[in-house]
Amino acid sequence: MGQTQSVSINVKLANKDLRTCDIKEICLLTDGRFALTDASNQRLKILDASNTVTSSPRFDGVPFGVCETEIGHVATTCQYPRGVDKVSVLNVNDNFSTKGEFTVNARCNGIEYASGILYVCCGMSFVVNDSTPGHIRLYTLTGELQRTIPHDVDSKVKDKPISIKVKPKVNIP
């Protein structure tokens, strides 16, 4: 059997982070960097190959989920305690310019991307008064809702059906 190695990585920014980091999600980018969401400091953090935070834009809400959409671009879910949650698509190679953003009328949590579709986990928040049952919403990168997958897997799937083609992940040495 192989051995497991544990590594501690400090992602707290001395001059910018006022709170203890609360990493909600992490995503390995195609180029070998990592994207992390730090909820307590309201930041998306990018780590380079040497595990150093190279950039960290701050959000006006609380970033939660993160995934890569294409090389150099990530999508994040951002939660707002007194507002409507959003999904943002950012260019992480170009000073975090916003490629697109749209609102979701339910609590947004995790997010994933495949074949041009964003899969957004929504509903059932214990922090805010959101009694919406947990479900998955499928959006285009421009925010067009394609389909909703209800929490009850035996229920009829709403909206129009789509086909999904998953491309293989690239292994980085």
Side-chain angles (χ1 to χ4, degrees), residues 84-125:
V84 178
D85 289 0
K86 295 180 185 176
V87 171
S88 297
V89 181
L90 306 167
N91 183 333
V92 295
N93 292 333
D94 186 23
N95 203 23
F96 294 95
S97 60
T98 302
K99 186 175 178 183
E101 184 175 82
F102 58 91
T103 59
V104 178
N105 63 353
R107 175 60 53 185
C108 293
N109 298 299
I111 189 168
E112 191 53 69
Y113 176 81
S115 301
I117 299 295
L118 288 167
Y119 296 76
V120 182
C121 298
C122 299
M124 291 306 290
S125 174

Side-chain angles (χ1 to χ4, degrees), residues 17-31:
D17 291 345
L18 302 177
R19 299 185 176 126
T20 301
C21 297
D22 181 13
I23 306 303
K24 292 296 184 187
E25 282 197 7
I26 184 169
C27 172
L28 174 62
L29 305 177
T30 303
D31 64 7

Side-chain angles (χ1 to χ4, degrees), residues 11-153:
V11 295
K12 186 166 184 168
L13 301 170
N15 298 330
K16 294 181 180 180
D17 291 345
L18 302 177
R19 299 185 176 126
T20 301
C21 297
D22 181 13
I23 306 303
K24 292 296 184 187
E25 282 197 7
I26 184 169
C27 172
L28 174 62
L29 305 177
T30 303
D31 64 7
R33 296 180 296 168
F34 288 95
L36 300 86
T37 54
D38 180 353
S40 61
N41 292 296
Q42 296 177 264
R43 294 186 181 280
L44 172 68
K45 296 180 176 181
I46 303 296
L47 273 67
D48 64 13
S50 64
N51 296 323
T52 301
V53 177
T54 59
S55 51
S56 62
R58 192 167 196 282
F59 288 78
D60 56 348
V62 178
F64 195 97
V66 63
C67 68
E68 183 174 43
T69 58
E70 56 188 60
I71 296 174
H73 294 89
V74 298
T76 64
T77 57
C78 202
Q79 300 176 344
Y80 293 83
R82 293 181 184 87
V84 178
D85 289 0
K86 295 180 185 176
V87 171
S88 297
V89 181
L90 306 167
N91 183 333
V92 295
N93 292 333
D94 186 23
N95 203 23
F96 294 95
S97 60
T98 302
K99 186 175 178 183
E101 184 175 82
F102 58 91
T103 59
V104 178
N105 63 353
R107 175 60 53 185
C108 293
N109 298 299
I111 189 168
E112 191 53 69
Y113 176 81
S115 301
I117 299 295
L118 288 167
Y119 296 76
V120 182
C121 298
C122 299
M124 291 306 290
S125 174
F126 298 105
V127 179
V128 296
N129 187 15
D130 180 8
S131 59
T132 307
H135 60 283
I136 299 172
R137 295 182 185 186
L138 284 63
Y139 289 95
T140 64
L141 286 172
T142 58
E144 182 182 333
L145 180 63
Q146 298 294 298
R147 182 176 173 183
T148 299
I149 301 172
H151 73 288
D152 180 357
V153 293

